[in-house]
Amino acid sequence: MSDCLFCKIARGEIPSEKVFENERILAFKDINPQAPVHILVIPKEHYDSLSALDEDSAPIVSEIALVIKRLAEEYSLGAGYRVITNIGDNGGQTVHHLHFHILGGVKLSEKMC
Ligand code: AMP
Ligand code: ZN
């Protein structure tokens, strides 16, 4: 059994503030929010990052896209928001389980990095 942090959150072994869940996907509030709305959306299945996906597993990203859209509506992010997935050390990834950040609720900087 994986001792990856987000696998543990997906299994309910570590508490999280869940905002969406289905069989394959979980979304929860980031513990250290960088914006008024900061939600993480993860596949329950472990993939190290976007780069670990293959033809069989990549469709999870389509499903996640629709969850992101739904959450953006629920959190009234119609004025805009940002979706980020960090990949690897140079990409700033600290938790090596694929996740998408939803950042919103404020006008974000146009700077990318
Ligand atoms: P990244 O740097 O892209 O790997 O993002 C990892 C994110 O996970 C960071 O924004 C952290 O604040 C967040 N994080 C770490 N531990 C937890 C936790 N237990 N619950 C919720 N978010 C977490
Ligand atoms: Zn994991």
Side-chain angles (χ1 to χ4, degrees):
M1 186 135 340
S2 169
D3 61 2
C4 158
L5 174 64
F6 286 177
C7 283
K8 285 185 174 172
I9 286 178
R11 292 197 298 264
E13 294 167 14
I14 290 178
S16 67
E17 201 173 330
K18 291 179 194 177
V19 295
F20 174 87
E21 182 168 21
N22 70 15
E23 276 178 20
R24 292 168 299 283
I25 294 169
L26 179 67
F28 51 95
K29 296 209 176 153
D30 195 291
I31 205 167
N32 182 23
Q34 305 295 309
V37 176
H38 189 171
I39 293 167
L40 301 174
V41 187
I42 69 168
K44 289 185 174 176
E45 190 156 332
H46 181 95
Y47 304 101
D48 283 353
S49 75
L50 195 74
S51 290
L53 298 177
D54 58 19
E55 271 189 29
D56 289 334
S57 53
I60 193 69
V61 177
S62 309
E63 254 192 273
I64 286 174
L66 295 177
V67 171
I68 289 170
K69 178 184 166 187
R70 172 180 164 159
L71 287 166
E73 286 164 5
E74 276 179 31
Y75 282 82
S76 306
L77 302 181
Y81 59 99
R82 185 168 294 158
V83 176
I84 296 173
T85 189
N86 295 325
I87 300 167
D89 291 338
N90 276 10
Q93 187 179 10
T94 59
V95 178
H96 294 271
H97 178 129
L98 173 63
H99 56 279
F100 293 81
H101 298 255
I102 304 174
L103 293 157
V106 70
K107 173 114 176 79
L108 296 164
S109 158
E110 288 171 18
K111 282 179 64 179
M112 282 292 168
C113 54

